[in-house]
Amino acid sequence: MITERVAICARIPDDGLVAAECAALTGGVPDHDGVAPCASLDLVDRAAYVQTGLTTIARGATFTELVEGVAAATFDATRFRIDVHDPQSRLDRSTQRVATDLADVMPYGPDLRAPQSRFLVIVTTDGLRLARVERTADNRYRAHESKP
């Protein structure tokens, strides 16, 4: 299993604040797809622009390679849900087809209503990856927006 960490950030063109927050909280800078390599995911829940912190399970240059990588990987997938991050619409199949094809090679079964594990398929110019959602922003920063 690959242990590469990534974050999904807000995609706001030419906004240095997104990149600065991501660099400060995770140690990485997002690309045009909003994906940033991370040194740490510990502070993602405090973020305003960093939405999700993930750990990569499998990678592939094509969707077929990704499915083969997921099938070969060993990981816990109890009652899971799979979502897709494809902001440039690079995939030639629907989100539902992607989730179904991956679910077919994963252990256990999906649970869309109350998942215990959440996964995200990330599509970039470098290929595809399946990653486990480890942290999500909880909007704690909003408590500091209003004036006393």
Side-chain angles (χ1 to χ4, degrees):
M1 182 170 90
I2 302 168
T3 57
E4 179 182 43
R5 293 183 215 119
V6 295
I8 302 294
C9 302
R11 294 178 57 240
I12 304 172
D14 303 320
D15 190 335
L17 187 56
V18 174
E21 180 189 74
C22 188
L25 297 180
T26 70
V29 177
D31 61 15
H32 290 19
D33 293 313
V35 180
C38 297
S40 172
L41 300 175
D42 294 339
L43 301 176
V44 167
D45 50 351
R46 298 181 184 179
Y49 298 108
V50 180
Q51 299 162 344
T52 311
L54 308 108
T55 303
T56 302
I57 292 170
R59 293 184 70 131
T62 65
F63 184 70
T64 302
E65 288 180 18
L66 178 64
V67 171
E68 291 169 356
V70 170
T74 303
F75 59 99
D76 179 36
T78 306
R79 296 178 49 203
F80 62 87
R81 176 187 175 108
I82 301 172
D83 294 306
V84 177
H85 176 77
D86 184 13
Q88 303 293 330
S89 300
R90 292 183 181 101
L91 278 177
D92 59 353
R93 54 187 40 105
S94 70
T95 300
Q96 186 176 9
R97 181 81 259 154
V98 169
T100 301
D101 290 347
L102 287 170
D104 286 346
V105 299
M106 292 171 67
Y108 308 103
D111 184 346
L112 303 181
R113 292 180 190 235
Q116 288 181 355
S117 303
R118 288 185 50 226
F119 298 96
L120 187 65
V121 175
I122 303 167
V123 185
T124 64
T125 55
D126 297 335
L128 301 95
R129 74 178 79 205
L130 178 72
R132 175 187 301 278
V133 174
E134 303 289 350
R135 301 230 182 206
T136 56
D138 62 7
N139 296 325
R140 272 195 260 171
Y141 71 92
R142 291 205 185 268
H144 303 288
E145 283 187 334
S146 61
K147 294 182 180 181

